[in-house]
Every structure is written in C-alpha cells, then in structure tokens.
Amino acid sequence: SQQGEEDPQALSIQEGENATMNCSYKTSINNLQWYRQNSGRGLVHLILIRSNEREKHSGRLRVTLDTSKKSSSLLITASRAADTASYFCATDEASSYKLIFGSGTRLLVRP
Amino acid sequence: DAGVIQSPRHEVTEMGQEVTLRCKPISGHDYLFWYRQTMMRGLELLIYFNNNVPIDDSGMPEDRFSAKMPNASFSTLKIQPSEPRDSAVYFCASRDRGSGANVLTFGAGSRLTVL
C-alpha cells in the first residue's frame, strides 16, 4: 500500500518558472525523502528531511515538512528542461526500514 | 562504483515461463530492496533483505514470487509461473549504510513483459 500521495499528478510549466509538488502521508515517520525518476531509468535520491526538521535546501531544491499535517512540499526554483521527470516522495515507517513511495508527480518543463 | 546492477534490462516471455531477475548491490550496502512499478499500482515494495536475510516479504504478491540473497553481492527475484499481470518494471535498490538514514540507490530496472 502507498504511504504517500502526491499532488498534482502532473504539472506543466515553462522553463524558468518554479515548480511545487506536494506529498501527504498517513503514519508517523522517521524522515521523508524525495526522489526523481527520468523516463526509463531508476529513481535517484534528491533530498532527505528528518521528522524534527521543518525546512531544508539543496541547490535549487527546497523541501518543507509539516508533521502535524503529515505533509511535505518540494519546490524546484528556476526550472530547466532537464528537470522534466517524475518526482516521488518516500517515507519510512517509524519501526522499520521499509521505504514506501507515493504515487508521484510528472513534471514537464517546456523550453 | 558501478552502482546497483540489474539484469536483464528487458525480458519478454510467454505466460507460464519462469523468469529470473538478478541484482548486484553496491559493495558495502547492508540492505537490499526489490520494488515493482506499474502504471496502475505505482511503486510497490516486494521484499527487503538485511545482511542477506529476508526481513519483510509481505509485499510479495503470491507464492509464484520468490527472492533469494545467497551472498552480499547477489540477489534474485524469481517468478514461476509468470502471468501477463506480472508485466512491470522491477527495481532493485540497496541502502547506503554510511548515510545514517534509509537512503536508497536504485538500479536501472528490469522491464518484464509477459505475453
């Protein structure tokens, strides 16, 4: 079963614009991660935010976490055509190493 | 490091045939995960191992699926007999022990088509 659900399912923006994706989850977590998947490839880890953190930055990526609402957002600033991919949030159950992925957001960045 | 290596990259087989997917994790990684990805169900965790021992196989769909990890550098996922609904991309991933968190490195996947 999926722990996280992403919103929107698909997003199309112009190069240079910002892209925001949201993730909601159901149970207590140790941390939340975001991964990217290019078409036909495996998933690549982008960023991890721990349950006691509220915001984290990495280059053009900004992740927020609201544990009271069980939600997270991923912001990609100044998007590029190369950012076109699917983005997944993933959470691990507090008592195990099972990493459960959300349904993903398909991002298209138009040149 | 060459990363997580999966083979075959593509497999087309007929219903009823046995399918074996292979995975070589990154050296030193202590956890190995098998996932299945379909359009309908997204990414599903099938099974994961710690130090070659299966920890949780609750995601394995049914008895037709089995997974083994005979040593730290090799794992297999077997489907016998295969059915058309098994068509999916199967990913292997291993965990970075040094990260201190559950960060996974994925292989490129094995795309399975069962006719």
Side-chain angles (χ1 to χ4, degrees):
Chain A
S1 62
Q2 291 175 338
Q3 162 80 305
E5 295 296 330
E6 269 103 321
D7 168 56
Q9 289 188 338
L11 181 60
S12 180
I13 60 174
Q14 202 73 34
E15 199 166 31
E17 294 179 340
N18 295 341
T20 299
M21 290 158 266
N22 303 295
C23 167
S24 60
Y25 57 92
K26 299 174 185 174
T27 62
S28 296
I29 60 172
N30 292 321
N31 55 63
L32 185 142
Q33 303 176 45
W34 286 88
Y35 286 75
R36 181 185 71 210
Q37 183 180 31
N38 289 88
S39 181
R41 303 287 188 92
L43 282 77
V44 175
H45 178 256
L46 293 176
I47 192 168
L48 177 149
I49 186 166
R50 299 188 186 278
S51 60
N52 60 355
E53 297 176 311
R54 291 297 167 258
E55 187 172 313
K56 199 162 185 179
H57 296 255
S58 177
R60 293 184 297 113
L61 305 180
R62 172 178 170 255
V63 172
T64 61
L65 179 64
D66 186 336
T67 53
S68 66
K69 296 181 179 179
K70 292 186 169 56
S71 67
S72 173
S73 68
L74 171 68
L75 169 67
I76 304 174
T77 60
S79 64
R80 306 166 181 169
D83 295 328
T84 294
S86 292
Y87 292 81
F88 296 87
C89 67
T91 54
D92 56 346
E93 296 178 354
S95 58
S96 81
Y97 280 106
K98 292 171 67 168
L99 195 61
I100 307 299
F101 286 82
S103 51
T105 293
R106 296 188 310 278
L107 173 65
L108 171 64
V109 182
R110 304 187 304 275
Chain B
D1 199 321
V4 177
I5 300 172
Q6 293 187 244
S7 65
R9 289 296 314 279
H10 303 274
E11 174 100 6
V12 180
T13 190
E14 293 189 346
M15 183 173 62
Q17 296 297 307
E18 177 179 296
V19 173
T20 299
L21 308 178
R22 298 172 176 81
C23 175
K24 176 178 167 50
I26 292 175
S27 176
H29 282 197
D30 53 350
Y31 282 80
L32 183 141
F33 300 78
W34 282 100
Y35 285 87
R36 176 172 70 176
Q37 186 177 38
T38 60
M39 288 295 293
M40 291 298 295
R41 300 177 67 88
L43 268 162
E44 301 173 279
L45 176 62
L46 300 178
I47 184 172
Y48 74 97
F49 296 81
N50 176 218
N51 292 324
N52 315 337
V53 176
I55 303 300
D56 188 334
D57 65 354
S58 60
M60 296 286 261
E62 46 197 277
D63 292 345
R64 298 184 297 106
F65 286 70
S66 62
K68 294 182 180 179
M69 192 165 185
N71 57 63
S73 59
F74 184 65
S75 177
T76 60
L77 178 67
K78 186 174 292 187
I79 308 171
Q80 166 64 17
S82 59
E83 297 182 2
R85 59 191 168 125
D86 302 329
S87 297
V89 182
Y90 291 81
F91 288 102
C92 174
S94 64
R95 174 183 176 265
D96 180 2
R97 176 190 295 168
S99 74
N102 202 10
V103 175
L104 302 186
T105 301
F106 279 78
S110 294
R111 179 176 296 276
L112 173 65
T113 302
V114 183
L115 303 175

